[in-house]
Amino acid sequence: QVQLVESGGGLVQAGGSLRLSCAASGRTFSNYAMGWFRQAPGKEREFVAAITWSGGITYYADSVKGRFTTSRDYTKNTVFLQMNSLKAEDTAVYYCAARRSTSREWHDYEYWGQGTQVTVSS
């Protein structure tokens, strides 16, 4: 089992920044690729970003490319999502998830955090 706990969400004005954290515990953190997803009210869960178990490769949705950056700190068993130049359409509940290899499909992931709300005011 892998337990994931997100933090760092909140209310921010358009153009601002937030950094989300996802702390992992349980099985070896370094064995898992990590993904970020988001879900806005009335919409399907969508892929945001992913990072390989080694941290060497990252993937991003076109909608966030150039604005969001994901990274991981093995000493803290934590993965981060730095979000810059936020837009109103980034408003959603953000989730981190873990699986053995990266995927852009949310249903491929085995373990999920509880989610953290990000609200961007325009």
Side-chain angles (χ1 to χ4, degrees):
Q1 289 286 335
V2 176
Q3 292 79 42
L4 303 173
V5 179
E6 299 103 334
S7 61
L11 173 64
V12 63
Q13 288 188 333
S17 298
L18 282 174
R19 188 175 81 154
L20 304 185
S21 300
C22 174
S25 60
R27 292 189 174 179
T28 306
F29 174 66
S30 59
N31 289 346
Y32 289 85
M34 302 297 294
W36 289 95
F37 294 81
R38 66 186 182 187
Q39 189 165 19
K43 294 188 176 181
E44 292 190 356
R45 190 166 299 191
E46 65 173 359
F47 170 76
V48 176
I51 186 166
T52 56
W53 65 267
S54 68
I57 302 175
T58 54
Y59 304 89
Y60 299 96
D62 289 343
S63 59
V64 306
K65 200 171 294 182
R67 300 188 297 124
F68 290 12
T69 303
T70 188
S71 60
R72 62 194 300 167
D73 184 336
Y74 296 94
T75 65
K76 298 179 180 179
N77 284 356
T78 300
V79 63
F80 302 100
L81 183 68
Q82 178 67 44
M83 307 186 293
N84 299 328
S85 302
L86 284 161
K87 305 175 182 179
E89 51 263 44
D90 294 319
T91 295
V93 177
Y94 283 71
Y95 300 88
C96 64
R99 72 184 301 263
R100 290 291 186 174
S101 58
T102 56
S103 171
R104 292 174 179 258
E105 302 295 330
W106 67 265
H107 50 79
D108 286 340
Y109 284 76
E110 301 172 65
Y111 304 105
W112 289 85
Q114 82 288 355
T116 185
Q117 176 70 47
V118 171
T119 303
V120 184
S121 63
S122 56

